[in-house]
Amino acid sequence: MLHRIILLITGSFLASATRAQTNADTIANIIRNHIYRLTTPSMMGRGYVGNGQKKASEYISSHFTNLGLTSVAAIADMQQYYSFPVNTFPSKMSVTINGKQLLPGQDYLVGAASTTYNNRKRIAIKNLASVTTPQQWRYTKATFSDTCIWLLLHTDSMCQNTGIPSHQLPSLLPSGCYILPQKNKLMWTVADHTTAATVVYITDTSLPALPTVASVDISAKLNKKYTATNIVACIPGTLPDSFIVFSAHYDHLGKMGSNTFFPGASDNASGTAMILYLAQYYAAHPQRYTMVFIAFSGEEAGLLGSAHFVQNPPFPLAGIKLLCNLDIMGDATDGVTVVNATLHPKEFELLTSLNNQHQYLPIIKSRGKAANSDHYYFSEAGVPAFFLYSNGGEGYYHDIYDKAEAVTLQNIPGVANLLINFTTEIQK
Ligand SMILES: [Zn+2]
């Protein structure tokens, strides 16, 4: 008898464990499919060249429409349009040192604000380690001219000594082409302007021992008015004026020349895929509160989409009971970190106690305020907002290796179930 009872208990435990696993596998498959679709080459890194970002926005809004989600009253067709300037590299991208062609994205990146440059010149090496004051920098800068291509050594120590933020250095360089060797891995960005100079960041290991001549052919184009869209959709609740918002930015860096794109699988096809899954879940399980889903654009260009949304809210921000922003949600092997946890200790405690109860994630880390994703302007406007990012994986970030294949989705179904459980409790 005892034997039978043990068998029965073991059997039902196994059945519920298998159910949980099936549920996790189903969620992972749905999310994985969205990540592959959002990183497909035809979306071109969801940036500013070849309608890549527009294709991504159409994918997201048609998913919302197919699920039966609706627009919020003040917005037509789920789209909130706005515009900003952005520098792009739609075509030529070629760098050759001592006759050897380098690989874009792998061996080098062009500074995001760089201007067009097409020349073959000798390389002049300038060691900036001895430049320690702003005055010395002004003097050194005056010696640069476009008679050669400059290889600038030790820009980091020069920036540190003179107090120039290293990201501002390209805007301080006179017209011409500058090669900046990089010890660390290459990370690309987006710029809303062009500089007089063309800057090429090259990995140390891609430079020959004695670089003497370079050919640089880079084509830049400043788009003065790129029209972007935030996609906003909702599932009305029985308390229509109370909102829970899930947000994620779907834009990424796009293309650097005609053959190189940044897939942005972890950043942030993963977070976008998570809100697409949550929309699917809540479409089948309507709530008391209205569930709102916002796919932001313009994040990589400086949180522009969420800033625009907060300045032009299509529904009263005061109605938002909680906003959960998801950015980098591809591998939670080491759990998640919650930004703004210290601002909302009660909600954070609820989140961690649900996790302790159900063991969704190995750890939930608490963090304070940070202006590092789209939750920021909401919390500055008084909206209770958490930003969750996952911890784990290879750490590919703003590079050509952030591909769908590299995203493990370890523990990511657990994040989805935790968020669902959490929002159920928030509405009680
Ligand atoms: Zn991001």
Side-chain angles (χ1 to χ4, degrees):
M1 189 63 182
L2 183 66
H3 185 67
R4 258 193 80 187
I5 289 169
I6 289 170
L7 267 182
L8 275 173
I9 292 170
T10 319
S12 78
F13 173 76
L14 282 178
S16 76
T18 313
R19 240 188 341 268
Q21 191 53 48
T22 310
N23 173 267
D25 290 346
T26 307
I27 296 170
N29 285 336
I30 292 167
I31 289 177
R32 184 170 293 112
N33 181 47
H34 288 311
I35 293 175
Y36 271 89
R37 295 290 298 275
L38 289 164
T39 54
T40 190
S42 68
M43 288 199 193
M44 292 174 252
R46 305 184 303 284
Y48 306 94
V49 173
N51 274 334
Q53 200 171 108
K54 186 154 184 290
K55 284 177 192 156
S57 77
E58 284 163 0
Y59 175 77
I60 295 161
S61 49
S62 67
H63 178 76
F64 287 155
T65 305
N66 293 340
L67 290 170
L69 271 65
T70 54
S71 295
V72 296
I75 288 184
D77 305 330
M78 303 182 185
Q79 312 290 330
Q80 186 186 42
Y81 295 104
Y82 66 105
S83 57
F84 54 91
V86 64
N87 194 33
T88 64
F89 301 92
S91 52
K92 285 184 200 157
M93 181 63 55
S94 163
V95 174
T96 304
I97 310 271
N98 290 5
K100 186 180 171 231
Q101 179 102 34
L102 302 186
L103 297 171
Q106 186 175 316
D107 298 333
Y108 72 92
L109 293 177
V110 58
S114 292
T115 194
T116 295
Y117 192 89
N118 180 14
N119 266 312
R120 181 178 184 277
K121 290 188 179 191
R122 76 176 175 88
I123 291 174
I125 299 174
K126 193 80 164 181
N127 188 340
L128 298 177
S130 57
V131 176
T132 55
T133 66
Q135 199 184 1
Q136 284 174 336
W137 165 240
R138 272 196 299 278
Y139 176 78
T140 306
K141 200 167 70 165
T143 66
F144 294 149
S145 70
D146 195 25
T147 51
C148 50
I149 289 175
W150 294 89
L151 175 64
L152 304 183
L153 301 178
H154 301 293
T155 51
D156 282 355
S157 69
M158 189 276 287
C159 284
Q160 215 165 22
N161 290 330
T162 55
I164 296 168
S166 54
H167 69 271
Q168 274 179 20
L169 181 60
S171 63
L172 303 176
L173 294 165
S175 167
C177 182
Y178 302 84
I179 293 169
L180 275 60
Q182 299 294 298
K183 268 198 295 290
N184 302 326
K185 66 189 208 113
L186 300 172
M187 279 193 283
W188 210 38
T189 51
V190 180
D192 64 357
H193 62 285
T194 44
T195 53
T198 300
V199 171
V200 184
Y201 297 96
I202 302 186
T203 60
D204 271 348
T205 49
S206 308
L207 278 172
L210 192 61
T212 53
V213 61
S215 293
V216 175
D217 188 2
I218 290 169
S219 211
K221 186 170 181 281
L222 180 70
N223 186 339
K224 288 187 184 140
K225 204 176 171 201
Y226 178 84
T227 299
T229 174
N230 296 326
I231 304 141
V232 190
C234 73
I235 301 163
T238 49
L239 291 174
D241 297 329
S242 295
F243 309 100
I244 288 180
V245 179
F246 288 105
S247 68
H249 77 86
Y250 70 95
D251 64 294
H252 194 57
L253 306 169
K255 288 187 91 171
M256 193 187 83
S258 43
N259 298 321
T260 306
F261 80 104
F262 293 72
S266 165
D267 182 16
N268 186 30
S270 65
T272 307
M274 175 64 91
I275 69 164
L276 295 180
Y277 167 71
L278 291 171
Q280 181 178 342
Y281 175 85
Y282 286 115
H285 303 87
Q287 303 286 300
R288 284 176 75 225
Y289 292 176
T290 293
M291 307 304 281
V292 180
F293 302 88
I294 313 174
F296 284 119
S297 52
E299 198 268 356
E300 304 291 4
L303 313 182
L304 301 181
S306 47
H308 178 83
F309 187 98
V310 171
Q311 281 155 17
N312 305 274
F315 56 86
L317 294 180
I320 303 178
K321 303 299 177 194
L322 181 75
L323 178 142
C324 290
N325 180 58
L326 308 164
D327 190 356
I328 302 192
M329 204 32 86
D331 188 323
T333 301
D334 303 316
V336 296
T337 297
V338 180
V339 171
N340 278 356
T342 55
L343 296 188
H344 308 291
K346 239 178 61 196
E347 287 80 3
F348 183 68
E349 201 185 297
L350 172 63
L351 191 73
T352 47
S353 75
L354 290 170
N355 189 53
N356 291 339
Q357 212 176 313
H358 297 277
Q359 300 288 309
Y360 296 117
L361 300 170
I363 185 167
I364 300 181
K365 289 184 192 150
S366 157
R367 194 172 159 182
K369 238 172 94 159
N372 53 357
S373 191
D374 288 316
H375 62 289
Y376 179 69
Y377 289 112
F378 286 90
S379 56
E380 289 298 286
V383 174
F386 277 164
F387 160 33
L388 284 83
Y389 60 87
S390 63
N391 299 308
E394 299 283 352
Y396 297 132
Y397 179 73
H398 285 211
D399 57 32
I400 57 167
Y401 310 107
D402 182 10
K403 295 178 178 174
E405 303 89 281
V407 172
T408 66
L409 297 182
Q410 183 69 34
N411 294 338
I412 294 302
V415 179
N417 287 329
L418 171 64
L419 288 172
I420 289 167
N421 204 340
F422 181 53
T423 43
T424 305
E425 293 298 318
I426 291 278
Q427 292 174 79
K428 280 182 180 164

